[in-house]
């Protein structure tokens, strides 16, 4: 039987005071993209997310833009902003200088990552001869500089370069033990993978929050491409739902909204209270999801 009361309480903000959202953006490249970036930030800021994060181009190519965007988000909206940072192609001194730049700009949150080889995701990673060799070492380095809130990456389907589950989870534990506050997952579409991952991490003694990274499907073609590169699986049922919608943006958006809603509501029912939403600098699906989770603009 349909339980309307259960549905109502699940989706009412007052009943979910513990619900926390964060939104991920990338630094815009052009003036037009920057305008869209700010439109989206201003629509999402009234939801009072825990933070908005801005990614870091693999080889540091977005260093200035990431810093500028993160500093401006905080100044313009009052929302806390987190700057991503990778170890790719830079010495420890160079990376430390970026961290000190964040510190000088008043940024207190960092998403610390190893990053991928400049030759492309999936290619073997070679650290700079004087650089941090992985994210755990980076976290340790950041901790020496200041009291940052540090997030690290987690992979419900295992990082493609992890030889097995034990080494994948041991790597997550190293990052948390080095001083990270939370892990944020790579996109995933099968909630069972995430729940199993959390179970494995807890069994290994990881107690930090493991926040699910939710990727709304703005464009099935684009997201399938990202997924293939990052080792995330697109289930057959999902591909079927979007099949033939390439030239029908309205239906595509409605299906995307339903798919993402289904995913987060199922996680909510499993007791998950924190979500990180990959926005790709768009606000519409993120806004819809926030609303379904009971978050209203302040
Ligand atoms: P690590 O945790 O260092 O691990 C990478 C691999 O190396 C794993 O397989 C691990 O098991 C292995 N490994 C690590 N240390 C050791 C060791 N001591 N011995 C043996 N094996 C080891 N990329 C960007 O370029 N810019 C971004 O802004 C960005 N943001 C991201 C945000 C999130 C939430 C996520 C999930 C990913 C993001 N990425 C970003 C992608 C990320 O850089 C890649 O997934 C990269 O391949 C791994 O980074 P990591 O921090 O997880 O690496």
């Amino acid at each position: 039987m349909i339980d309307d009361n259960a549905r109502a309480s699940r989706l009412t903000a007052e009943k979910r005071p513990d619900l926390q959202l964060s939104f991920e953006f990338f630094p815009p490249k052009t003036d037009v993209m920057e305008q869209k970036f700010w439109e989206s930030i201003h629509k999402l800021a009234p939801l009072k997310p825990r933070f908005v994060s801005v990614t870091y181009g693999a080889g540091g190519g977005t260093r200035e833009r990431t810093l500028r965007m993160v500093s401006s988000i905080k100044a313009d909206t009052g929302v806390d902003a987190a700057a991503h940072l990778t170890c790719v192609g830079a010495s420890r001194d160079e990376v430390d200088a970026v961290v000190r730049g964040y510190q000088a700009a008043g940024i207190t949150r960092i998403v610390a990552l190893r990053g991928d080889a400049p030759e492309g995701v999936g290619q073997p990673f070679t650290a700079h001869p004087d650089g941090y060799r992985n994210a755990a070492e980076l976290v340790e380095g950041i901790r020496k500089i200041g009291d940052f809130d540090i997030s690290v990456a987690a992979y419900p389907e295992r990082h493609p370069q992890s030889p097995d589950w034990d080494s994948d989870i041991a790597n997550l534990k190293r990052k948390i033990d080095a001083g990270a506050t939370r892990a944020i997952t790579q996109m995933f579409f099968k909630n069972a993978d995430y729940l199993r991952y959390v179970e494995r991490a807890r069994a290994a003694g990881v107690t930090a929050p493991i926040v699910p990274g939710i990727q709304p499907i703005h464009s099935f073609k684009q997201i399938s491409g990202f997924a293939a590169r990052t080792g995330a699986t697109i289930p057959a049922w999902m591909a079927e739902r979007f099949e033939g919608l390439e030239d029908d943006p309205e239906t595509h958006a409605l299906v995307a909204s339903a798919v993402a809603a289904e995913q987060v509501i199922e996680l909510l029912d499993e007791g998950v209270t924190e979500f990180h939403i990959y926005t790709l600098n768009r606000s519409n699906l993120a806004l819809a999801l926030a609303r379904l989770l009971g978050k209203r603009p302040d």
Side-chain angles (χ1 to χ4, degrees):
M1 201 174 64
I2 295 169
D3 183 349
D4 273 338
N5 287 338
R7 187 160 71 165
S9 68
R10 188 169 65 187
L11 303 177
T12 304
E14 298 78 52
K15 300 273 167 62
R16 308 237 42 115
D18 47 351
L19 187 76
Q20 293 275 0
L21 299 180
S22 51
F23 298 115
E24 184 170 310
F25 283 71
F26 63 85
K29 278 198 190 114
T30 63
D31 289 351
V32 174
M33 284 167 83
E34 184 157 345
Q35 196 183 339
K36 184 145 183 59
F37 174 95
W38 285 113
E39 274 169 25
S40 299
I41 294 277
H42 286 295
K43 281 194 185 152
L44 294 173
L47 294 168
K48 295 271 180 287
R50 171 183 271 160
F51 61 83
V52 164
S53 80
V54 181
T55 59
Y56 194 80
T62 70
R63 186 180 307 182
E64 304 307 326
R65 272 183 289 142
T66 300
L67 174 61
R68 181 162 65 85
M69 292 300 137
V70 169
S71 311
S72 314
I73 289 169
K74 210 166 173 179
D76 278 23
T77 65
V79 170
D80 244 11
H84 291 221
L85 178 61
T86 72
C87 323
V88 180
S91 68
R92 287 175 184 238
D93 286 349
E94 286 164 338
V95 173
D96 289 356
V98 178
V99 176
R100 291 203 175 83
Y102 288 164
Q103 193 175 38
I107 295 158
T108 57
R109 294 177 183 269
I110 296 180
V111 183
L113 305 140
R114 184 198 70 179
D116 289 301
E119 294 76 31
V121 180
Q123 298 303 312
F125 177 82
T126 311
H128 183 286
D130 302 317
Y132 292 113
R133 287 173 301 173
N134 51 53
E137 287 190 359
L138 175 62
V139 173
E140 212 178 306
I142 296 170
R143 273 269 163 264
K144 285 189 188 142
I145 297 174
D147 183 22
F148 290 94
D149 170 284
I150 305 173
S151 301
V152 290
Y155 301 87
E157 296 180 72
R158 215 161 86 191
H159 186 272
Q161 288 162 347
S162 291
D164 52 48
W165 274 112
D166 284 350
S167 39
D168 193 90
I169 299 288
N171 182 52
L172 172 70
K173 188 159 182 343
R174 270 196 300 274
K175 296 194 275 192
I176 300 293
D177 290 349
T181 319
R182 76 182 62 72
I184 300 174
T185 77
Q186 182 59 274
M187 65 168 115
F188 62 92
F189 300 101
K190 285 193 274 171
N191 285 342
D193 288 340
Y194 165 80
L195 296 169
R196 180 83 188 98
Y197 180 84
V198 173
E199 241 175 65
R200 289 180 205 268
R202 299 292 177 243
V206 175
T207 54
I210 300 172
V211 181
I214 305 296
Q215 177 65 75
I217 313 285
H218 304 280
S219 152
F220 182 72
K221 195 172 163 212
Q222 186 188 28
I223 303 299
S224 312
F226 288 166
R229 284 201 293 280
T230 57
T233 309
I234 301 279
W237 60 261
M238 201 166 105
E240 231 172 79
R241 283 184 179 181
F242 287 98
E243 198 183 321
L245 293 181
E246 298 80 14
D247 301 320
D248 183 355
E250 279 180 23
T251 312
H252 189 294
L254 290 168
V255 172
S257 176
V259 166
E262 210 171 61
Q263 182 175 20
V264 292
I265 289 170
E266 203 177 291
L267 290 171
L268 203 64
D269 284 345
E270 291 289 337
V272 176
T273 55
E274 301 177 49
F275 296 89
H276 181 78
I277 300 176
Y278 294 109
T279 69
L280 295 179
N281 295 5
R282 297 157 197 235
S283 60
N284 55 349
L285 287 171
L287 269 175
L289 273 187
R291 196 155 259 275
L292 286 167
L293 289 167
K295 276 268 177 201
R296 301 279 179 278
D298 228 16

